[in-house]
Amino acid sequence: MNIFVTGGAGYVGSHCVYGLCDGGHHVLVYDNLSVGHREAVDPRATLIVGDLADVDLLERTLAGGDFEAVMHFAASAEVAESVQRPLFYYRNNVANTLSLLEVMSKHGIKKLVFSSSCATYGMPPAVPITEDMPQTPINPYGRTKLAIEWLLRDSAAAWGLGATALRYFNAAGAAPDGRIGEDHDPESHLIPRVLKVALGQSDQIKIFGIDYPTADGSCVRDYVHVADLSNVHGIAIETQPVGQFRCYNVGTGQGVSVKELVEVAREVTGHEIPASPSPRREGDPPELYADPTFICTELGWQPEYTDIRRVLETAWQWHRTHPRGYSS
Ligand code: UFG
């Protein structure tokens, strides 16, 4: 299949591009490299450095490619930043997706897989989270992802778009063969921050909140490996029916607390990793983990990395060999 991939130089996108190329698909990556990395793009794919806001370039690129499907990863994805810069988030995420859909509809491209988020649930009424729970996001980032889901639903009904929204939980880990990994600047995510302490690049990990109503008082998350995310994208695009909107939670179903994760990281890395309690980070729900039954049943997907130790081993392999990320 000829597949157009936005944000294919980013963390999740780059792992999925490798998966698509391994599966024999032809991939064109469209990425402005604002947060992504040229080095992360599979050399078998074609990279066009472009912005979704550049509708002329987008139009020319989509017109010339005979694409059957689009995978849409490109987005701004920092919750705290979204609170500070909501207009930027709505423009970059929602308005640019609108442009993408307009160009797709013009060229009759009717298959899309979209990176949605568990952030669309906000504070869920219970865990594990099922797809039918209310979507009431608590920050602009989550609201942009929800707005896009509505765009996709309405496009499916109106012009036959076939779209799958994959609501990721916490994307984690690195390519098991060590080719690519996670490199954000600045880094806000727990696992890379913990591993930077192991590498001696920072003194300690701050645990944001130890007074949550959870078993050990720290926040609980569902860390889904990027290799599993890559697999599910391949399945989603190959099974995508025209004219239908689908949405799935993509997680392992296992909740792991911040304290547990730090403890396993100590064992995996063999480093002490000092940790200290810190005030809660604003807007963090206490406990988020998926009920992945629906996607497992409907798409036949099964996450391979259900043990946080194995997730951390792949992440550690990448960080150890790339202590300065892609500029190592
Ligand atoms: N945490 C710490 N110390 C740190 C960094 C994080 O204790 O230095 C904690 C956070 O408070 C949270 C957990 O570790 O409880 C995970 O935090 P991350 O920042 O790694 O991930 P989030 O759960 O905040 O964010 C993820 C995705 C977002 C998405 C969000 C939905 O990265 O894109 O889930 O809730 F919006």
Side-chain angles (χ1 to χ4, degrees):
M1 211 185 283
N2 272 355
I3 305 178
F4 181 82
V5 178
T6 75
Y11 174 42
V12 177
S14 61
H15 286 83
C16 292
V17 167
Y18 267 96
L20 291 173
C21 292
D22 287 344
H25 296 292
H26 298 282
V27 176
L28 187 141
V29 170
Y30 190 88
D31 196 303
N32 64 9
L33 299 182
S34 63
V35 293
H37 304 272
R38 188 183 289 276
E39 301 83 354
V41 178
D42 189 324
R44 293 168 293 183
T46 304
L47 170 65
I48 301 278
V49 179
D51 198 299
L52 286 171
D54 184 350
V55 178
D56 285 346
L57 180 61
L58 179 65
E59 168 80 49
R60 274 184 276 123
T61 311
L62 273 178
D66 196 19
F67 296 104
E68 204 177 315
V70 173
M71 281 196 189
H72 181 32
F73 299 95
S76 297
E78 288 286 334
V79 171
E81 185 188 41
S82 79
V83 176
Q84 302 300 322
R85 305 179 67 196
L87 301 184
F88 172 74
Y89 269 67
Y90 278 92
R91 176 151 306 278
N92 199 32
N93 294 358
V94 182
N96 284 346
T97 302
L98 188 57
S99 302
L100 175 66
L101 291 172
E102 283 169 348
V103 179
M104 284 175 65
S105 107
K106 183 170 166 190
H107 294 285
I109 305 169
K110 294 196 171 175
K111 286 185 183 177
L112 178 82
V113 177
F114 165 62
S115 305
S116 189
S117 171
C118 65
T120 59
Y121 293 107
M123 301 272 182
V127 282
I129 301 172
T130 51
E131 287 81 356
D132 55 2
M133 283 186 181
Q135 285 179 292
T136 48
I138 56 170
N139 52 58
Y141 167 70
R143 285 190 274 273
T144 64
K145 291 287 176 178
L146 182 56
I148 294 166
E149 287 199 10
W150 280 107
L151 271 176
L152 301 182
R153 281 177 206 273
D154 290 339
S155 293
W159 54 274
L161 176 71
T164 299
L166 297 175
R167 296 176 186 156
Y168 309 159
F169 282 65
N170 288 51
D177 61 12
R179 291 184 289 196
I180 50 173
E182 184 169 14
D183 180 0
H184 300 112
D185 184 22
E187 186 53 78
S188 65
H189 296 93
L190 179 65
I191 293 178
R193 279 193 171 186
V194 166
L195 298 179
K196 280 178 194 296
V197 180
L199 284 169
Q201 295 176 0
S202 58
D203 298 342
Q204 58 167 344
I205 185 75
K206 290 183 175 161
I207 300 181
F208 296 149
I210 55 162
D211 56 352
Y212 282 102
T214 59
D216 66 16
S218 65
C219 283
V220 170
R221 294 289 181 272
D222 183 338
Y223 296 90
V224 55
H225 197 280
V226 278
D228 286 324
L229 285 177
S230 169
N231 282 339
V232 79
H233 280 76
I235 298 171
I237 205 75
E238 278 164 16
T239 60
Q240 180 63 58
V242 166
Q244 193 185 321
F245 174 80
R246 312 184 290 181
C247 54
Y248 299 104
N249 288 343
V250 190
T252 65
Q254 316 277 329
V256 174
S257 78
V258 176
K259 286 184 181 173
E260 284 169 337
L261 189 144
V262 173
E263 192 49 47
V264 177
R266 289 179 179 130
E267 291 165 17
V268 166
T269 63
H271 289 272
E272 191 193 342
I273 314 187
S276 66
S278 221
R280 292 181 178 194
R281 189 172 68 178
E282 202 183 333
D284 270 343
E287 197 163 27
L288 295 174
Y289 59 94
D291 179 343
T293 307
F294 187 50
I295 191 165
C296 294
T297 320
E298 285 250 320
L299 295 189
W301 174 71
Q302 206 58 52
E304 193 189 325
Y305 290 83
T306 49
D307 180 352
I308 190 65
R309 178 180 305 273
R310 293 189 58 218
V311 175
L312 284 168
E313 281 167 356
T314 64
W316 179 232
Q317 173 180 229
W318 160 261
H319 285 277
R320 205 163 30 89
T321 51
H322 301 79
R324 302 278 162 208
Y326 286 103
S327 49
S328 294

